[in-house]
Amino acid sequence: MSTPYPFSAIVGQDDLRLGLLLNAVSPAVGGVLVRGEKGTAKSTAVRALSALLPEVDVIVGCRFSCDPVGPDPACPDGPHEAGTGAARAARMVELPVGASEDRLVGALDIERALAEGVKAFEPGLLAHAHRGILYVDEVNLLHDHLVDLLLDAAAMGASYVEREGVSVRHAARFLLVGTMNPEEGELRPQLLDRFGLTVEVKASREPDQRVEVVRRRLAYDDDPAAFAARWADEESAVRARIIAARALLPEVRLGDGALRQIAATCAAFEVDGMRADIVMARTATALAAWAGRTDVLAEDVRQAALLALPHRRRRNPFDAPGLDEDKLDDTLQEFGGQGEDDDPDPDGPGGGGGGQPPQNDGPSQDGGAGDTPARPEAGEGGEPQPSGAGEQQAVRASEPFRTKMLSVPGLGEGAAGRRSRARTAHGRTTGARRPQGALTKLHLAATVQAAAPHQRARGRSGRGLVVRRDDLRQATREGREGNLVLFVVDASGSMAARQRMGAVKGAVLSLLLDAYQRRDKVGLVTFRGKGAEVALPPTSSVDAAAVRLESLPTGGRTPLAAGLLKAHDVLRVERMRDPSRRPLLVVVTDGRATGGVDPVALAGRSARLLAAEGTASVVVDCESGPVRLGLAAELARELGGPAVTLDELRADSIAGLVKDVQGMNRRAA
């Protein structure tokens, strides 16, 4: 086993270390989600924490790590008798992004269950992580149904596997840690809420601290064992403190005054539901235990709010994360001192007095580059600046609205999502086939039908059915997939009326929000002046697209053909990278084309090129005014897709779009 980087040797990243330590003290806090750029010690800190956890006593031979003092009465390997066990180190189990449902929750051997009547269960990662750490790197890239499964298990402390009437339940209590880079896409708010705490990490900009990062990392890489030995005393001290805090935790008293502050804070920040109140209460209690106190103080409530509330305030991907600390202090002060046991001073140290983890100078040892970017104002943050004649300053988008669902015709096989029809592992059963590899979902009727003609030849006796491997049939299912939604936005002078451009941006922002909810990748191509550019390469981060859209300047000629050809190039590259993810081209334009020789004919040829390759397209017609030329509708015909006006794009408008989509589906068939 390789020597992990010492937890005590991590420089800086106080919030990250504190969030991990609080969950080590009290797993009931509900885990921690670590958000930050690459190279900021996220994975290193989690692996280092596992070495600090106290050993656990387990029943020898139990695959589910039952405690010999109080074994699980429903353990699949049981029943066990209480008694002595063997001590082993707490495990850290990593869940890979590409893991299957069977790998996560375990698998029943359907073949043995049918043929022999044996309930054979192979434990999954949830069972291996019981009484340890379950670490999910890039949790935002994990399929939604897998995230739902592991969060349900973390909340209930148990995992349930049910297949064809055979069910297995086993204990699954673990410290859940997820890490993610926000640039690669966000988790849905419903899933964010299920993580107890969240911390934002970024690398330091202080040269001296970065020097210390490099120095320690190089020393560790040269001789991990010697480096760890130099930090052994600090590691032992942190381990002893975790054990002491765990022992003290049941004695910590959460007074009525602290509870009122918690409730008032959650109400002031308008978080949904009651989970935030419960998590804050557990976190404040753990902070007090970590500090060696038996009373929860106002400073514990304040630090708990900073860890438990920021991610619960995000209602959509365009909301900026974070918490207004002045508002937090005002709320704590207003409701402080109303209980007999609470310290009314809300301005104490963030980590519960002496409750901060060991302090070091410097950033993480991975030394990533770049602060997590805030959403810039128009024209800031390196976005394209207006230049050239006829350009206007960026126009703010109008308020987003709920849009109609635009989909790709046909049946795909892409990543799970919520947009277009696809063959998926989850969804309604549509048929059966012979299994290709391990059997995951049995089609019982088809299996019986395949086995029935052979019963006499197999010498069936009694009322049983003799089933062999060749008879087994896998259920085929149809669900929804996520697509690549590539926006091609006209930013030329033909659409430069400020009020109209605000409406156009609002429509694109609405479509971006829809893409986020349907788990799509998105890209943004803009055309204006002399050509087109890729404002945002295809990504899962729709908030990055919103930032680029907000600062989009307008003006100049309308090189429509250049925009379509640039989109063609982007889609060609993306097909090579991810051939199973089908694209949906959304062209936002009034259909005009200017500049160059015969720009209208050139735009038509470009559109027919995309249509010939089978690219599903929708044109959002932005033409306005009493006299309309119908150029966007003509472009849609060249692309082979429907055209919708801004008004028809709204979900509460049903005119026109259904007929167009049906026509597109007929053409695809």
Side-chain angles (χ1 to χ4, degrees), residues 64 72 125-131 150 152-160 169-175:
F64 301 87
D72 182 3
L125 295 178
L126 292 179
H128 292 298
H130 179 46
R131 305 176 68 194
L150 71 89
D152 284 342
M156 295 185 296
S159 175
Y160 296 84
R169 173 223 169 264
H170 64 82
R173 292 183 296 275
F174 46 81
L175 192 168

Side-chain angles (χ1 to χ4, degrees), residues 142-221:
L142 200 65
H143 284 179
D144 284 353
H145 75 279
L146 293 183
V147 178
D148 288 330
L149 285 172
L150 71 89
L151 290 175
D152 284 342
M156 295 185 296
S159 175
Y160 296 84
V161 183
E162 298 190 14
R163 298 278 173 82
E164 282 70 44
V166 181
S167 63
V168 173
R169 173 223 169 264
H170 64 82
R173 292 183 296 275
F174 46 81
L175 192 168
L176 176 63
V177 182
T179 59
M180 60 175 283
N181 184 345
E183 294 178 357
E184 296 173 341
E186 287 286 354
L187 280 171
R188 301 199 315 267
Q190 298 92 328
L191 298 180
L192 282 172
D193 182 56
R194 300 292 291 276
F195 281 93
L197 310 179
T198 184
V199 294
E200 300 276 344
V201 295
K202 58 184 179 181
S204 171
R205 292 295 178 267
E206 293 295 328
D208 290 343
Q209 293 179 350
R210 297 176 74 94
V211 166
E212 185 62 22
V213 167
V214 176
R215 181 181 292 117
R216 292 189 186 184
R217 189 72 214 191
L218 292 178
Y220 170 76
D221 291 341

Side-chain angles (χ1 to χ4, degrees), residues 490 494-495 558 588-592 620-624 630-632:
D490 182 349
S494 68
M495 289 178 34
T558 312
V588 184
T589 180
D590 56 11
R592 289 181 173 86
V620 179
D621 184 357
C622 303
E623 191 174 27
S624 61
L631 297 175

Side-chain angles (χ1 to χ4, degrees), residues 292-382:
R293 291 185 268 100
T294 57
D295 289 314
V296 173
L297 305 181
E299 61 198 48
D300 300 323
V301 176
R302 185 181 194 276
Q303 182 64 53
L306 293 174
L307 293 171
L309 295 188
H311 61 300
R312 291 186 165 87
R313 297 190 61 247
R314 300 197 74 187
R315 306 297 175 88
N316 64 64
F318 311 135
D319 290 340
L323 211 63
D324 184 340
E325 295 193 32
D326 290 337
K327 180 178 179 180
L328 173 61
D329 290 337
D330 291 343
T331 302
L332 293 176
Q333 185 173 10
E334 179 182 354
F335 289 89
Q338 298 187 25
E340 297 177 357
D341 309 300
D342 287 315
D343 184 347
D345 179 14
D347 297 319
Q356 288 283 5
Q359 300 293 311
N360 294 296
D361 293 327
S364 76
Q365 78 286 355
D366 284 344
D371 291 332
T372 302
R375 184 176 179 178
E377 295 298 326
E380 295 182 357

